[in-house]
Amino acid sequence: MRKTLFESLTRGPLTEPPSAPDEAALAELAQTVNRAARARLGRSLSIRHVDAGSCNGCELEIQAVNNAFHDLERFGLRFVASPRHADVLTVTGPVTRNMREALLRVYNATPDPKWVVAIGDCAANGGIFAGSYAVAGGVNDIVPVDLHIRGCPPSPIDLLKGLVALIEHVT
Amino acid sequence: MATLIETLPHQRKADHHRPWPRLIVGAEGWRLATGYLATGHLTLLGLWGDGPIVHMAVLDQRDVAVLSYECKKGTFPSVSTAHPPAGRMERAVRDLNGLNAVGAPDTRPWLDLGFWETGRPLGKGCAATKPAPYKFLPAEGEGLHQVAVGPVHASIIEPGHFRLTCNGEHVVRLEQRFGWTHKGVESLMAGSSLNKAAQLAGRVSGDSTVAYAWAFAQAVEAARQMQVPPRAIYLRALMAELERLANHFGDIGAVCNDASFAIMHAHCGILRERTLRAAHACFSHRLMMDRIVPGGVSNDLAPEGLAQIRALLEDAKLKFPRLVELYDNTASLQDRTVTSGIVRAELARQYGAGGYVGRASGRGFDARRAFAYAPYDTLIFEVPVLNAGDVDARVWIRIREVEQSMALIEQIMARLPNGAIRTPLAGNGQVREGVGFAEAFRGDVMVWLRLAGDGRVERCHLRDASWFQWPLLEAAIEDNIVADFPLCNKSFNCSYSGHDL
Ligand code: SF4
């Protein structure tokens, strides 16, 4: 253990240079984020994640933005355990009919101002699951979405770019 | 020697069902099979509806059979009365197909939570059911309290509901309630093209996308009696072992993280990330989605990919043993994992639990070994088995499997044949049925399907290993403290989406 710890101290970090904010994401945000006055959040946002019915592929890549290579927290973004503490909701999956109400409740439990980021192709419009008797639609069909990060699943770099664009825009 | 399956009374064998037989049975054969399941002579592999027919797949040592029972009045003799592992499946068959298991001890809905557009979506269809209050099983006693968790969970994981009844710190009963991520995959598949169905199969459980795509492809190839080029077979195995490595690295770290040992999580996360990057370099997708297709693989290995895999293995060979040592020698960590969440061997056997859940509790089943599908019939690997059945044993199985997967990848790279990577689809024009299995990191995935003459999928059923693992978590957590629930749950790491479909 000591050896591992010592090495961690002496070796440079694995963390890669920060991603530039995604241009398309900035453009989308410029249009959507006008309803809330830019809050003085001190360049820090708390994120609450909701899986509204994903295949869990998107979750794997969201987890990966927390690893040593991507280190999301250096941008002032961190995942929290309760919607009450959150500024941002990340939502994945086609919203299943079974999860619709749960998503609405989480949304309503999140204090204003808040932003919703729909992650993955399914979250955009139901993706490959669109049209099923069990699927209510994309996230925007249930709660207002401020930013879409597309991909199946989006890579951690795509996620970073989108989230960094968000923090640039709102803080 | 005749297998048990061959002795089951049946009316006839289905004409075009491969590679194992499908027997059309009456009440007698169905009941006899149920009895064999209850006595442990057969293992249940799945139970699903198909129009007015209910099928169950059973395992006899290494032989498989699908038994089909026609529900004349929309009913069939319950299997779960004698064999509890069928319980949730019978409830799902009722929700999806409207077929009722007569005599079933539990008739509450399972996947239908009362929000769908239509009821019985895979059967005749009916008006949507009204959400009735769900009756959780009672637990009575002085001083008991309940902790309800989910469906939305506190970390970045899938939705599900857990009802913990506790006496002080100790869990008296855990009851799960699932169905939240039900997307209606099987109904989307019905009537869809093979391409679309293959994509759907690869999105049943994203963490096992390779295994699902492989099982699906095997079912199609069995049904159509297609040969897959040798290079494609090896590339499939390369993807499958990379997927296993990535998931096991992730899980080992995540279990330790749930015991508040963050350094293991950080270092395992690095190995996982390197694995995904190597996968991306080889197949231009980190999770390798849609790379396995019926008939072969869609992408050939990028030439620069092999160097990345070699670098990954070199790095992991250096770092992983040190992490294993760290895991083994940290008393505070061992204090949490050893003797927590024990699954008794008897239960693992009864439920036919696959993957590390089964193998940590003495059930040495691995689809790669049991069915020896190519190329595993010629590769050398061990299937590690332990008997302790606790969180620690489930971590150790993963550790040993990481070592096995690394050795397998080396063999695959050394033997990788040249040549074509895909054969064109053949044999259209006839209705054909097939079954396929693939060993995902968490256990065996089974895909059963019937292809229509025009090449479309008529009916496809996909069964995740989680179906037979989730119920064991309910048993494993009893008498553990509430604080150990996340740890036990992570050591199972069952799929919600794979189960809910
Ligand atoms: S976008 Fe892709 S990875 Fe994400 S939930 Fe949908 S199918 Fe899964």
Side-chain angles (χ1 to χ4, degrees):
Chain A
M1 169 132 168
R2 251 186 255 137
K3 209 165 156 196
T4 312
L5 281 174
F6 186 70
E7 267 190 21
S8 310
L9 287 175
T10 51
R11 199 184 42 206
L14 287 166
T15 313
E16 293 167 340
S19 319
D22 184 54
E23 290 300 322
L26 280 175
E28 184 181 5
L29 285 165
Q31 285 177 359
T32 55
V33 188
N34 51 14
R35 63 198 154 85
R38 291 195 180 185
R40 298 193 194 294
L41 294 163
R43 218 197 134 78
S44 143
L45 290 176
S46 297
I47 308 176
R48 178 70 171 90
H49 179 68
V50 184
D51 174 343
S54 92
C55 79
N56 81 29
C58 282
E59 274 59 37
L60 296 177
E61 295 298 51
I62 298 173
Q63 286 164 7
V65 298
N66 280 321
N67 72 25
F69 290 88
H70 304 117
D71 189 18
L72 181 71
E73 293 207 10
R74 72 189 142 140
F75 301 109
L77 289 147
R78 65 190 187 100
F79 284 93
V80 293
S82 166
R84 303 269 185 220
H85 306 153
D87 311 300
V88 178
L89 294 180
T90 52
V91 188
T92 56
V95 182
T96 63
R97 285 180 178 265
N98 285 348
M99 275 304 287
R100 187 176 171 276
E101 188 184 322
L103 173 60
L104 277 171
R105 284 199 204 176
V106 173
Y107 182 80
N108 292 331
T110 310
D112 278 320
K114 59 190 163 199
W115 293 272
V116 176
V117 182
I119 292 177
D121 288 349
C122 292
N125 55 15
I128 193 165
F129 305 106
S132 161
Y133 64 87
V135 167
V139 179
N140 206 21
D141 296 321
I142 314 299
V143 294
V145 171
D146 300 287
L147 172 65
H148 289 90
I149 305 177
R150 298 288 296 240
C152 181
S155 70
I157 300 292
D158 295 336
L159 290 168
L160 279 186
K161 283 183 180 161
L163 293 172
V164 169
L166 180 75
I167 200 163
E168 296 268 309
H169 193 85
V170 303
T171 59
Chain B
M1 203 180 79
T3 62
L4 205 52
I5 290 168
E6 283 163 11
T7 66
L8 285 173
H10 57 276
Q11 292 152 7
R12 61 185 178 88
K13 278 188 184 170
D15 288 337
H16 301 289
H17 188 277
R18 293 193 173 81
W20 294 282
R22 178 162 80 81
L23 309 180
I24 289 92
V25 298
E28 193 198 350
W30 188 264
R31 288 216 176 85
L32 205 60
T34 302
Y36 287 144
L37 290 171
T39 53
H41 291 94
L42 294 176
T43 304
L44 186 66
L45 290 172
L47 189 141
W48 66 100
D50 175 15
I53 295 171
V54 58
H55 303 291
M56 83 171 140
V58 294
L59 175 74
D60 176 7
Q61 314 286 341
R62 291 174 181 204
D63 282 312
V64 176
V66 176
L67 311 177
S68 307
Y69 177 88
E70 191 181 347
C71 307
K72 296 243 164 58
K73 293 190 187 106
T75 59
F76 61 99
S78 165
V79 177
S80 64
T81 6
H83 190 56
R88 290 177 174 184
M89 297 182 151
E90 287 180 349
R91 292 164 69 186
V93 165
R94 185 161 174 260
D95 289 350
L96 296 172
N97 302 77
L99 303 174
N100 292 307
V102 176
D106 190 344
T107 55
R108 294 173 298 168
W110 182 239
L111 298 176
D112 185 352
L113 309 185
F115 301 112
W116 297 343
E117 217 164 29
T118 48
R120 322 274 177 259
L122 286 173
K124 290 209 180 90
C126 68
T129 54
K130 289 238 162 54
Y134 188 80
K135 283 204 185 71
F136 284 92
L137 299 176
E140 284 166 20
E142 215 177 314
L144 293 188
H145 65 281
Q146 285 198 329
V147 183
V149 187
V152 181
H153 291 157
S155 50
I156 309 168
I157 54 168
E158 302 176 73
H161 182 84
F162 299 103
R163 189 66 62 102
L164 295 144
T165 306
C166 310
N167 188 351
E169 276 295 298
H170 289 263
V171 179
V172 180
R173 162 175 273 160
L174 162 67
E175 192 179 354
Q176 300 157 347
R177 194 179 181 207
F178 294 141
W180 310 95
T181 74
H182 177 79
K183 295 178 270 293
V185 173
E186 295 189 357
S187 115
L188 287 168
M189 277 198 176
S192 76
S193 70
L194 218 45
N195 276 346
K196 169 99 190 277
Q199 285 174 2
L200 280 164
R203 285 160 180 78
V204 168
S205 183
D207 53 15
S208 308
T209 178
V210 171
Y212 268 91
W214 197 352
F216 180 82
Q218 294 214 47
V220 173
E221 288 148 12
R224 292 274 179 238
Q225 292 183 278
M226 290 163 57
Q227 295 295 327
V228 180
R231 183 173 176 83
I233 289 176
Y234 274 81
L235 290 178
R236 286 175 173 186
L238 178 58
M239 294 184 210
E241 296 311 318
L242 284 171
E243 180 175 84
R244 196 177 329 277
L245 264 190
N247 283 306
H248 280 350
F249 282 143
D251 277 3
I252 294 167
V255 170
C256 295
N257 198 41
D258 276 346
S260 306
F261 198 64
I263 189 168
M264 277 290 284
H265 184 50
H267 283 278
C268 289
I270 292 167
L271 289 175
R272 177 182 161 84
E273 179 67 22
R274 293 216 155 113
T275 312
L276 297 182
R277 289 178 177 201
H280 186 266
C282 291
F283 302 106
S284 67
H285 191 287
R286 287 162 54 92
L287 306 181
M288 300 166 283
M289 265 178 176
D290 305 326
R291 294 317 186 247
I292 295 183
V293 291
V297 296
S298 66
N299 289 36
D300 207 340
L301 178 71
E304 64 278 13
L306 281 181
Q308 284 245 17
I309 294 186
R310 286 208 185 89
L312 165 74
L313 292 184
E314 224 164 273
D315 187 54
K317 269 191 203 150
L318 201 72
K319 307 246 170 70
F320 191 62
R322 296 228 303 259
L323 295 176
V324 174
E325 200 188 314
L326 183 58
Y327 173 77
D328 203 19
N329 292 335
T330 304
S332 63
L333 189 54
Q334 295 279 308
D335 182 48
R336 296 290 303 279
T337 60
V338 176
T339 70
S340 303
I342 295 176
V343 175
R344 286 183 295 111
E346 174 48 29
L347 265 186
R349 189 206 53 72
Q350 184 191 16
Y351 276 77
Y356 38 74
V357 174
R359 295 197 278 274
S361 296
R363 183 175 186 263
F365 180 86
D366 183 316
R368 294 172 296 175
R369 176 59 42 82
F371 305 133
Y373 53 96
Y376 294 108
D377 52 345
T378 55
L379 297 172
I380 298 159
F381 65 104
E382 278 168 30
V383 177
V385 181
L386 292 170
N387 294 306
D390 53 3
V391 171
D392 181 56
R394 288 187 284 278
V395 171
W396 275 108
I397 294 287
R398 288 173 168 100
I399 291 172
R400 293 287 167 250
E401 290 185 4
V402 161
E403 294 159 1
Q404 293 299 317
S405 286
M406 294 205 287
L408 277 167
I409 290 174
E410 279 175 347
Q411 292 175 53
I412 293 165
M413 290 198 300
R415 297 187 193 182
L416 188 63
N418 289 321
I421 56 161
R422 192 169 183 181
T423 26
L425 289 175
N428 272 358
Q430 307 290 325
V431 176
R432 291 284 184 269
E433 297 173 330
V435 195
F437 288 89
E439 185 72 18
F441 80 102
R442 69 162 61 80
D444 48 299
V445 169
M446 180 184 82
V447 174
W448 177 91
L449 49 73
R450 181 170 58 248
L451 300 175
D454 63 1
R456 286 175 187 278
V457 174
E458 214 169 270
R459 175 82 177 93
C460 177
H461 173 66
L462 310 104
R463 198 269 301 140
D464 196 86
S466 305
W467 277 95
F468 299 119
Q469 297 170 336
W470 275 124
L472 301 188
L473 178 61
E474 288 189 345
I477 192 65
E478 258 172 50
D479 289 335
N480 283 254
I481 58 172
V482 183
D484 275 346
F485 176 63
L487 183 70
C488 292
N489 192 13
K490 189 47 84 182
S491 76
F492 274 65
N493 193 16
C494 296
S495 175
Y496 300 74
S497 182
H499 166 281
D500 294 350
L501 270 182

